[in-house]
Amino acid sequence: MTTDNNKDLVRRALAGLIETGDVEALASVLSDDFVHRRPDGATSTRAEWLAAVGAALGPLAGMQVEILHLLADGDHVVVHSRRRLPGRGAEIAVVDLWRIHDGRIAEGWEIIEPASRAAANLTWWEPAGL
């Protein structure tokens, strides 16, 4: 697949999930051995991650997603987005990194930062409360 094909695959998967809440549409583009990775080192299998996504759809109903950047290099696609829940004021910045293999999403990494705490994270090495 080309870089553009990889971007289109990720774009379609995210649009399908965001617009319809259809976890099965997302499942159809994940490889059978898909792994989701978090910054703390925790990993989820395909089934575990899809179950977590499905469980989150209720509390996140109506979430607005603004894709700021969609970049690709070879078999990797990066999505930088802002997500917010109307009426709740909370906003997060999210960076997703997806690895594509054989036309399906094989691996995903996700970094989530609450926008309200972004400034505090600029000095992450300093002890809290100083």
Side-chain angles (χ1 to χ4, degrees):
M1 292 182 71
T2 68
T3 300
D4 286 338
N5 292 126
N6 291 340
K7 283 172 53 175
D8 287 341
L9 173 70
V10 169
R11 185 182 294 119
R12 283 193 322 269
L14 294 177
L17 181 65
I18 293 165
E19 292 169 9
T20 68
D22 185 3
V23 176
E24 285 306 311
L26 180 60
S28 71
V29 299
L30 300 180
S31 66
D32 292 338
D33 59 349
F34 170 83
V35 176
H36 182 261
R37 303 177 187 281
R38 291 193 339 222
D40 64 1
T43 62
S44 302
T45 65
R46 179 182 191 270
E48 291 167 338
W49 189 66
L50 287 169
V53 169
L57 289 176
L60 297 177
M63 179 176 61
Q64 297 171 340
V65 178
E66 177 186 7
I67 295 178
L68 303 171
H69 300 96
L70 180 64
L71 311 166
D73 184 18
D75 63 351
H76 287 85
V77 177
V78 177
V79 181
H80 171 219
S81 63
R82 287 200 170 275
R83 303 175 191 185
R84 67 187 64 77
L85 291 168
R88 293 204 203 155
E91 182 178 299
I92 58 174
V94 180
V95 175
D96 294 299
L97 172 62
W98 306 103
R99 184 178 63 82
I100 313 302
H101 181 71
D102 288 337
R104 298 176 92 186
I105 300 173
E107 237 175 327
W109 294 261
E110 185 173 46
I111 299 169
I112 300 170
E113 180 176 57
S116 63
R117 290 188 239 155
N121 290 341
L122 293 175
T123 54
W124 57 269
W125 61 89
E126 294 179 359
L130 291 182

